[in-house]
Amino acid sequence: MSRQLRALLIGMLGPALQAAGAAWDLLEHGVFAPAGGELITLTHIVSGPAHLMMATGFAVSVVCIPIALQVAAASPEELAPPEEIPNELELAGELRTAEAAK
Amino acid sequence: MMLVINPGDLIREVGQLQAHVHGEGDAPPGHAFFGAGFLFIGSLLVVEQLAGGVWSRAFWRRMLWPAALLLLGAGMIVVARVQPDDKSLHLTLAMLLLLGAYTEAQYRLGKISRTAADAFAIPALIVGGFVIGPMHSNGNLLSSTMAQAHLLVGVLGWLLAGVKLMRVHFGPTLALEYSFASGVMMLGLSLLLVEQFHGAH
């Protein structure tokens, strides 16, 4: 996958979630409860699933847009998937093996 | 054969589904906040795979996954404290999330191997799936949308355990990493769906 495509996907994930949340909200108020304006309370605004999805999309954008810029400027080596994080015991074992080989 | 659907009838049928409505004195809506939390961290797990080594440049980004589990576990303790019912189920989920945060943090700090972290994660996902699915569904699975939505969350927990098991068997592959990350996103979406049909919980 090219770095431009990776950067585009990273940058668009948050806005895509926001768009899905907006569509959900329109569906809810347009289809599920078209005449339910009186049911819109503060609790509904704060905890409505569609509203929280839009908020999540915004938070994802805040974290991801700087990463998208870094990815767009990164070299292919930097974009390689990170290897398993070696744990301290394995590292100590490798060190002992290397010392024994000397 | 031709299938004819009248849009008016379809909209009327869909309109019979429950709207997300809270009444006076209802309990706080926990599922939606947990759903948003899992959707957020699942999205970031997907981005972690897309960004490769760039993601690990910042230490705080590497620790986001265990931090999110810690926060969700602490939130679940609050739910167990506030909710009058299902205290033991909520406490079980809280313990699983907190222990998961600990093992994932240990892995990301290089203290334990991925296999050791998965040795906790796999049974935790299976048990968590039972707790939030069949045990917590609170209704007839055949007739209650809310019970079915709860079961969906449980099934997603089991699917995530399956992905982890495949990772242990086949080793790490990009397909499995993306599957786990998008599975966590789906878990978040399913919890948002539970809230949609739950109204109050």
Side-chain angles (χ1 to χ4, degrees):
Chain A
M1 199 187 295
S2 71
R3 64 182 180 181
Q4 285 85 359
L5 183 57
R6 281 171 190 263
L8 182 71
L9 289 173
I10 292 169
M12 290 305 291
L13 187 57
L17 282 176
Q18 286 175 281
W24 184 341
D25 205 32
L26 287 173
L27 193 69
E28 181 176 6
H29 292 297
V31 178
F32 288 162
E38 71 281 2
L39 301 170
I40 297 174
T41 59
L42 182 64
T43 312
H44 172 80
I45 292 167
V46 173
S47 71
H51 303 165
L52 281 170
M53 195 178 204
M54 283 188 265
T56 304
F58 178 73
V60 169
S61 298
V62 168
V63 176
C64 290
I65 287 174
I67 299 170
L69 296 174
Q70 288 178 27
V71 166
S75 65
E77 293 78 35
E78 287 177 298
L79 293 177
E83 290 176 16
E84 294 254 329
I85 300 166
N87 64 64
E88 284 174 350
L89 288 175
E90 283 171 7
L91 286 176
E94 282 171 18
L95 194 63
R96 275 196 297 274
T97 312
E99 281 173 357
K102 279 183 187 172
Chain B
M1 195 172 81
M2 200 180 200
L3 187 65
V4 182
I5 296 172
N6 183 343
D9 290 345
L10 184 65
I11 290 173
R12 212 167 20 255
E13 287 298 317
V14 175
Q16 301 300 313
L17 291 168
Q18 284 170 280
H20 173 253
V21 174
H22 275 274
E24 289 294 323
D26 284 340
H31 293 101
F33 293 112
F34 284 93
F38 277 110
L39 184 62
F40 176 68
I41 199 62
S43 306
L44 294 187
L45 287 175
V46 171
V47 172
E48 184 176 7
Q49 294 307 317
L50 284 168
V54 172
W55 181 267
S56 312
R57 281 183 192 168
F59 176 74
W60 67 268
R61 283 205 294 252
R62 219 167 54 220
M63 299 308 286
L64 263 176
W65 170 233
L69 291 177
L70 184 72
L71 202 65
L72 291 166
M76 196 57 82
I77 288 179
V78 174
V79 171
R81 180 89 177 84
V82 172
Q83 286 279 329
D85 56 345
D86 291 338
K87 276 188 188 296
S88 57
L89 295 184
H90 289 136
L91 274 177
T92 307
L93 288 172
M95 288 305 116
L96 292 174
L97 284 164
L98 291 174
L99 287 170
Y102 176 74
T103 52
E104 289 299 321
Q106 290 291 301
Y107 164 65
R108 289 185 177 230
L109 291 169
K111 305 276 186 198
I112 59 172
S113 67
R114 184 66 259 171
T115 314
D118 283 345
F120 171 76
I122 293 167
L125 283 164
I126 294 169
V127 173
F130 270 106
V131 170
I132 199 156
M135 291 170 77
H136 192 34
S137 51
N138 296 329
N140 188 343
L141 280 176
L142 295 177
S143 58
S144 161
T145 319
M146 189 264 286
Q148 289 159 359
H150 260 290
L151 192 64
L152 174 67
V153 184
V155 168
L156 280 166
W158 297 332
L159 285 177
L160 286 174
V163 172
K164 286 267 180 200
L165 271 173
M166 285 173 74
R167 195 184 188 282
V168 170
H169 189 258
F170 296 110
T173 64
L174 265 184
L176 288 175
E177 302 297 343
Y178 278 114
S179 300
F180 185 78
S182 47
V184 176
M185 279 182 81
M186 291 300 126
L187 191 71
L189 274 175
S190 66
L191 282 164
L192 288 175
L193 272 179
V194 169
E195 182 62 30
Q196 179 74 37
F197 296 117
H198 215 292
H201 185 80

